[in-house]
Amino acid sequence: MKPFHIFNSLTRAVEPFMPLDTSPTPTATFYSCGPTVYLPQHLGNMRAYVFVDTLRRALEFNGYTVRHVMNITDVGHMTSDEDAGEDKIEKTARAEGKSPLEVANFYIAQFKRDCAALNIALPIDAVPDAVAHPPQSALCRATDNIPAMIGVIEQIAAHGYAYTTPSGVYFDVEKWRGPSGMGRLSRQSLSEQHAGQRLEHSADKRSPHDFALWVLNQPHHMMQWDFPGIGRGYPGWHIECSAMSMRYLGETIDIHSGGLDHIPVHHENEIAQSESATGHQFVRYFVHNAFLTGMAGAKISKSAGRFPVLDDLVEEKIHPLAFRLLCLGAKYRSELAFSIDAVRAAEKNLNYLNEFVRCLQPRVIANAHDAAWAGAYEERFHEAMNNDLNTPQALAVALELVAAAYRQNDHRIWHTLRIFDMVLGLDLEGRIKEIAKGVFPPRINRLMTEREKARAAKDFKRSDELRAEIELSGYEVKDTKAGMVVMPKRVAP
Ligand code: AMP
Ligand code: ZN
């Protein structure tokens, strides 16, 4: 295995990635802070998910099996990250005359749609309220994990780091002096971490820096659950990530991601909660993406009013994957300025790659061997990806490979390009599918369309019959994540 290097915010250094699992076929555990579902996800949020998806793909490219969990925040995230204000989901619910569940379901569906358009593979939906289960990948909702959160709060309290008052259960920040301390990640004192934020200092909190694990006595709050022995209420925002990470991945995980904005409060608090509950290190590698900024350099945020979303690009007739390519064109730790012109420029590179693939001869696609000279590009691509996810360089290698194929009039690079695309996620395979449709006789096209319908209807018996019929006509049928790919049967190289 080639060593994969990534910047660890805990040590502020690029480090070789070494997962906890040291077996010859290792699994890497990866938790990503996911969306708060009260408004559409803006393109800044989508940058964070493109980063998550690229990191997962890069780990898989390096031979790791990735167990990936992403949470969906559908309760407890207040309009201020400091427990103050109104629950974001409930604010939208009140404004739109809907239930919090309706609001969450609506924006979750939109989030999934946007991820699909950007070729971001999300983990599978967790089964709500499933009892004990082995560690697994999951897209999981906070409201489905309240018992797990209560369990972690009880562990924290049992170790003496939580106290209960009439307004809630709080984490005792001043008392916590665990292995990571408070501020290890942000390298800031408590007052620096909270600088510029209006701290809610309710009379019964021991310190203004203490944060809520469970909120009590808020009768206007719509979503409430019983915490046996404590009272009816709802969780603070941070506890969900500690609880879901532990529930689905275990007490210590390899990688935890989020945007840079999560460092000073959310992730500091997650570390304190998790490590005070278990006594073990919570995360081995914390990774953070930099912001997508507006033209004036300001972070794009939901609270700042009008923010760009994927639908804006569709309206401008820009392919969504051009945004993915824009993200890949910058290092994930560098700020990236958003503008329609910048996405249009990225779309030119997308079109360049698509055009090349569209013009490939079926004979070249079917040929199992690429030109020998393509091997050097694969080496360079791998090196770039393993160097702290240097996607701009990896993308440049992909573009250079295509340019070299044109220059030498030797197009035998499809398999190399396909490997690159498994990491870049630009769906070049989809173009192959389109040309396949175009070059096949009408009878095969008809059988393909019928089989796609059978697959969508989960009629696998019919789908298998159709596969056999297509294969009998001299074609190879493959079912990929991007759908069915049909190619003329391989000829010997
Ligand atoms: P939220 O839905 O606000 O909880 O954010 C979801 C994810 O998007 C988090 O990982 C944030 O850190 C990240 N994020 C928010 N704004 C931006 C931005 N402008 N650029 C990049 N990432 C962002
Ligand atoms: Zn989180």
Side-chain angles (χ1 to χ4, degrees), residues 106-182:
F106 179 83
Y107 288 112
I108 289 171
Q110 210 173 78
F111 166 65
K112 287 184 175 174
R113 185 203 64 180
D114 286 357
C115 285
L118 288 171
N119 209 13
I120 294 168
L122 291 171
I124 46 159
D125 285 342
V127 179
D129 287 328
V131 273
H133 51 69
Q136 55 189 234
S137 290
L139 181 68
C140 41
R141 293 165 77 136
T143 51
D144 287 333
N145 285 275
I146 303 292
M149 295 187 219
I150 289 176
V152 178
I153 298 170
E154 282 173 338
Q155 275 178 286
I156 298 170
H159 293 154
Y161 295 107
Y163 59 90
T164 305
T165 74
S167 69
V169 182
Y170 292 99
F171 188 89
D172 195 336
V173 169
E174 306 281 354
K175 189 169 176 190
W176 173 241
R177 291 287 176 268
S180 299
M182 278 312 265

Side-chain angles (χ1 to χ4, degrees), residues 31 33 71 241 256 266-267 270:
Y31 183 93
C33 286
N71 68 305
C241 289
H256 188 121
H266 185 52
H267 287 169
E270 278 187 34

Side-chain angles (χ1 to χ4, degrees), residues 32-49 52 71 73 77 81 88 111 237 257-263 266-267 288-294 298-302 336:
S32 314
C33 286
T36 307
V37 283
Y38 68 112
L39 282 175
Q41 294 296 297
H42 56 59
L43 289 177
N45 300 131
M46 296 320 290
R47 181 187 190 193
Y49 307 127
V52 164
N71 68 305
T73 301
H77 196 173
D81 281 358
K88 291 182 177 188
F111 166 65
W237 170 36
S257 74
L260 277 179
D261 52 333
H262 282 344
I263 291 181
H266 185 52
H267 287 169
H288 294 98
N289 64 276
F291 297 136
L292 184 77
T293 59
K299 176 194 166 209
I300 290 173
S301 76
K302 291 174 194 152
L336 172 60

Side-chain angles (χ1 to χ4, degrees), residues 152-378:
V152 178
I153 298 170
E154 282 173 338
Q155 275 178 286
I156 298 170
H159 293 154
Y161 295 107
Y163 59 90
T164 305
T165 74
S167 69
V169 182
Y170 292 99
F171 188 89
D172 195 336
V173 169
E174 306 281 354
K175 189 169 176 190
W176 173 241
R177 291 287 176 268
S180 299
M182 278 312 265
R184 175 176 165 204
L185 187 64
S186 61
R187 309 260 170 98
Q188 287 177 326
S189 66
L190 282 173
S191 50
E192 282 168 330
Q193 279 172 47
H194 298 134
Q197 286 161 342
R198 193 170 44 83
L199 292 190
E200 188 83 342
H201 194 166
S202 56
D204 55 6
K205 252 168 52 167
R206 288 182 190 160
S207 152
H209 301 295
D210 293 351
F211 58 90
L213 299 167
W214 189 259
V215 183
L216 290 164
N217 293 311
Q218 294 286 343
H220 64 279
H221 203 272
M222 297 171 177
M223 294 177 277
Q224 308 247 2
W225 294 264
D226 285 321
F227 186 150
I230 297 289
R232 209 162 163 72
Y234 60 92
W237 170 36
H238 318 291
I239 195 70
E240 66 175 84
C241 289
S242 294
M244 289 188 256
S245 179
M246 285 186 216
R247 179 173 186 210
Y248 289 96
L249 297 176
E251 291 186 352
T252 301
I253 63 165
D254 291 312
I255 308 177
H256 188 121
S257 74
L260 277 179
D261 52 333
H262 282 344
I263 291 181
V265 179
H266 185 52
H267 287 169
E268 285 288 2
N269 292 357
E270 278 187 34
I271 295 171
Q273 292 167 157
S274 309
E275 297 189 355
S276 64
T278 68
H280 307 307
Q281 184 175 13
F282 174 41
V283 172
R284 291 155 56 84
Y285 300 82
F286 254 108
V287 294
H288 294 98
N289 64 276
F291 297 136
L292 184 77
T293 59
M295 280 314 277
K299 176 194 166 209
I300 290 173
S301 76
K302 291 174 194 152
S303 54
R306 178 87 188 105
F307 48 79
V309 294
L310 206 59
D311 281 341
D312 294 333
L313 301 185
V314 176
E315 226 162 80
E316 294 279 340
K317 305 219 174 338
I318 296 175
H319 196 289
L321 287 175
F323 178 72
R324 184 174 180 117
L325 198 144
L326 175 76
C327 295
L328 296 173
K331 286 189 182 167
Y332 74 93
R333 289 198 285 128
S334 304
E335 257 181 26
L336 172 60
F338 171 78
S339 70
I340 292 289
D341 285 348
V343 195
R344 281 199 207 286
E347 195 176 33
K348 288 200 176 124
N349 281 334
L350 182 66
N351 290 341
Y352 179 73
L353 294 172
N354 280 338
E355 270 321 296
F356 177 80
V357 173
R358 272 199 199 102
C359 295
L360 280 174
Q361 298 292 322
R363 187 178 44 77
V364 172
I365 298 165
N367 192 336
H369 297 281
D370 278 2
W373 57 265
Y377 289 82
E378 193 170 337

